[in-house]
Amino acid sequence: MNRINRAGMTRRELLARSVAAGGSLLVGASWVTERGAAWALEVTALKPETMATLVQMARDIYPHDRIPDDRYAVAVKGYDTAEKAPMVEAGIAALDAAAQGQGHPGYLGALWEAERVAVLRTIEKGEFFRTIRAGLVTDLYNQKEIWPLFGYEGESFSHGGYIDRGFNDIAWL
Amino acid sequence: MAAPFSNTDDSVVVIIGTGAGGGTLANELAQKGISVVALEAGGRYLPEDYINDEWASFAQLAWLDTRRSDGSFRLSRDFAGLPSWIVKAVGGTTTHWAGASLRFQEHEWKALTTYGRVDGASLLDWPIDAAEMDPWYTLAEAKMGVTRTNGLPGLPGNNNFLVMEKGAKDVGYREVHTGRMAINSLEYGGRQACQQTGFCFQGCKWGAKWSTAYTEIPLGEETGNLEVRERCHAARIEHDDTGKVTGVVYFDKDGVEQRQAARIVCVAGNTIESPRLLLNSASSMFPDGLANSSGQVGRNYMRHVTGSVYSIFEHPVRMWRGTTMAGIMQDEARHDPSRGFVAGYELETLSLGLPFMAAFLDPGAWGREFTSALDGYENMAGMWIVGEDMPQETNRITVDTAVLDQFGLPTPVVHYDDHPNDVAMRNHAYERGIAIHRAAGAVRSLPTPPYPSTHNIGTNRMSDNPRDGVVNRWGQSHDIPNLFVSDGSQFTTGAAENPTLTIVALAIRQADHIAREMGAGNL
Amino acid sequence: MRFLFPVVAAASIAAPALAQEAAPDVAARLEAMTCREFLALDADGQATVKAAMLAYASGDSVPDTPLPAPGAGRQVVEDRTGVPETAAAEAAPETGTKGGTGAPEVVAGENESGKVTPDGTEVSVTDEGGDRRLLAMRTSCEGGPDALALNALRAAFGNSL
């Protein structure tokens, strides 16, 4: 259940079933997806709206415009458990309340990144934010799928290292 | 072939730890025909086991037992539970080290004399000097295959080095090269040459980097005189009524308490665990811990003035390709108080993979300022500061009897405050490092705070005077003649150089001394 | 040893005899040249020497291009710890019990060719981007003036020549 499903949902089907939640994500009864429907994340313990907000929060903490939403979703999907859900539901509820305190309908209703960041600044010293950020810094950047977006090549041992493959190939100095 | 010794065999030398100090000492003694039991808290991993993935390797190798850090130092806020980044494995932190093998400069053996008194610092001269250490350094360099010694060529410089070299020469520095590295530039010691693979911190999968895990330890075992007991955690050292140590109590791989009798005990558990073990061995005869009549056990914890400068350039650098520590700039290593601080520092190239860069670039930071820096990862070059920090009595390891580890043993607390001299040196080094990168074309520089400490030194300092030091010039405790300290904790002061070469040289020298004293019937 | 190091050099093809294709005086010059002498050459001279050394170390014909005269060129900067010129060769102690404090033997020059990566892919050792190899050789030499330039060349190839 708790996995990314890349197949089987047409854009039309998704749009028909979706509840617009602001931001770039669509949520349904038990799932979150992006408008392009390239992926969908089923949730079991968290409310779909909560997961959508959490994914947006993750992107706002570590915004990389070339990283697609599903990588952020993968980074936070570990919170979708019965054990962790209460903490996350409470944290996201507080985040929405903080957004409302700044005149937005909710966190996802703050449409500019700068507006959402201003909301995050009000909770960044708190336990919830610190937990999410600390988990994200490993669970996002440790995904090999995103490394090519940074040019990072990972291990080279299986290719014999770089002795014959450009360890000193810098040409612009 | 391991030589199983009986737990009651009180003719053996027991060494606690198998890293640069303990692993070297174990082999040296074994080669001399002396029976050795080495207790190693970690498991055995060899090149085929190493994982070239930063977090997976960290989970495999890092020492993650409960520790706490405090003090004003930023590290205690960023990584309160991880004050040091060392290894729990056969071979200790020689698995993880980058390989830089620099001798102390002559004046660094005499820090108090050279620098004079510095407020708040407990500077002291080493009881030994460069001339005395010269032959031992020579032996260590030969053992480890250090480049630019013994006719061995340097390693070829990678992109990260070429950036630093260009910038450093452009700002007028002269002593810039690819370092003295215990990484084979040619086949040497039955191990092959560096293939510029990167991941030096994760264990060298080629075996090109010297590590006791696959040099000293198996060679010692081949003699039949060395038995390494893996996953055995030393709990306390015991002594008799005459005040001599008699054995070591430890927890074996099944968590069962064991006791190994000993003729001599050598402590080499790294600079946090070694004083912890001495403190946890307190008895009615030694209520403040073993070898602690001076009150100095645990004090003068040093970890070098460190920090990094990463810079982003207009074009790719790909700093991760090739050796992690690929070169050095030594012009600032001198003692020159006109810079506003005593002692000096080295600048050495360094790189981190993307996952560790995210974790260590600016711990706790988030938002676009942070992520736009990571977006420049491919175009980044990096260097690391290694400078002499001031010893301070209040920078120390203590044990917390209220927080116990998995064996019920009091856990270590690491307290560290920067000395003003450390702060001045770090700021100078940041400025010079940035200048170097700017000269090579950097468009944005990121002065990066210290990582969890890899250079952990002091805490059982060496002094001829039993009132201000724990061990004498041989690493032998002043209080207990058959108790030795064999790791970096015996450092009197830290110098500006990476400590491993000096730890190895001291271990070779100590083995020579122990064998001689045993032969003379004095031990 | 109870474990295996991954090995770069694979099939042990009969090692081509060094100097086979080089005149004795050229061979002697290449064998004896230190990094100090190499670094003192100008860029063209370094390139010429490197090409000759590569051919020599690979057992190929050494190009006809005359080797540059020693001497003239730039100042060589020695590193801080500057081992005295004559010390390097003697520095390694000869006392060695195995794995003890003796110096293990340097085995550079054991010629093997055909490089294989751990996953079994063959990688041919080529000199593509020869200027990169020259750069590698120069950086290997800098700060270590007493090393042999031929060994710096080998280091530049990960000792797979």
Side-chain angles (χ1 to χ4, degrees), chain C residues 60-134:
Chain C
D60 297 335
S61 300
V62 175
D64 291 336
T65 319
L67 295 179
R74 62 205 184 88
Q75 180 77 32
V76 176
V77 177
E78 308 211 3
D79 85 341
R80 180 185 69 203
T81 39
V83 179
E85 227 174 291
T86 53
E90 287 83 24
E94 300 293 332
T95 55
T97 49
K98 188 177 181 188
T101 46
E105 190 187 353
V106 180
V107 290
E110 299 268 337
N111 281 298
E112 292 168 284
S113 48
K115 182 170 170 170
V116 174
T117 63
D119 63 7
T121 322
E122 273 209 42
V123 179
S124 62
V125 176
T126 65
D127 191 32
E128 280 174 35
D131 58 330
R132 297 288 113 185
R133 297 292 193 187
L134 180 58

Side-chain angles (χ1 to χ4, degrees), chain B residues 27 31 44 148 154 157 175, chain C residues 2 6 80 98-99 139-140 142:
Chain B
N27 182 34
Q31 297 293 334
R44 192 179 295 238
R148 295 189 170 80
E175 296 177 37
Chain C
R2 299 177 301 117
R80 180 185 69 203
K98 188 177 181 188
T139 55
S140 170
E142 297 264 15

Side-chain angles (χ1 to χ4, degrees), chain B residues 251 276 280 401 403-411:
Chain B
F251 291 92
R276 176 195 182 202
N280 280 347
T401 53
V403 179
L404 305 180
D405 71 4
Q406 64 271 37
F407 304 111
L409 303 169
T411 51

Side-chain angles (χ1 to χ4, degrees), chain B residues 233-389:
Chain B
H233 188 108
R236 65 183 182 276
I237 300 167
E238 296 188 329
H239 62 83
D240 62 19
D241 293 343
T242 70
K244 281 193 167 185
V245 295
T246 55
V248 179
V249 175
Y250 64 93
F251 291 92
D252 70 13
K253 61 182 176 12
D254 300 315
V256 177
E257 187 174 299
Q258 306 278 359
R259 182 185 189 278
Q260 173 62 51
R263 176 174 176 176
I264 296 169
V265 173
C266 300
V267 181
N270 204 310
T271 282
I272 297 174
E273 291 303 311
S274 288
R276 176 195 182 202
L277 179 62
L278 296 177
L279 295 170
N280 280 347
S281 301
S283 65
S284 54
M285 184 183 277
F286 300 111
D288 298 323
L290 294 190
N292 198 21
S293 67
S294 63
Q296 291 291 309
V297 170
R299 292 189 183 273
N300 306 299
Y301 169 63
M302 295 171 282
R303 44 103 58 224
H304 274 151
V305 171
T306 66
S308 307
V309 174
Y310 291 97
S311 297
I312 299 169
F313 295 77
E314 287 180 66
H315 305 289
V317 176
R318 304 188 180 101
M319 64 177 171
W320 64 87
R321 293 184 176 184
T323 45
T324 303
M325 199 161 273
I328 189 165
M329 194 290 287
Q330 302 196 275
D331 292 64
E332 299 286 2
R334 70 196 190 281
H335 168 60
D336 174 6
S338 73
R339 293 174 297 183
F341 53 88
V342 301
Y345 63 87
E346 317 267 359
L347 291 178
E348 304 173 351
T349 75
L350 196 73
S351 68
L352 297 175
L354 182 74
F356 273 15
M357 185 59 71
F360 294 124
L361 178 62
D362 188 4
W366 59 279
R368 290 235 173 231
E369 182 182 2
F370 176 77
T371 56
S372 67
L374 286 183
D375 284 338
Y377 177 75
E378 188 173 19
N379 294 11
M380 255 184 214
M383 66 176 82
W384 194 51
I385 302 158
V386 192
E388 180 167 359
D389 57 342

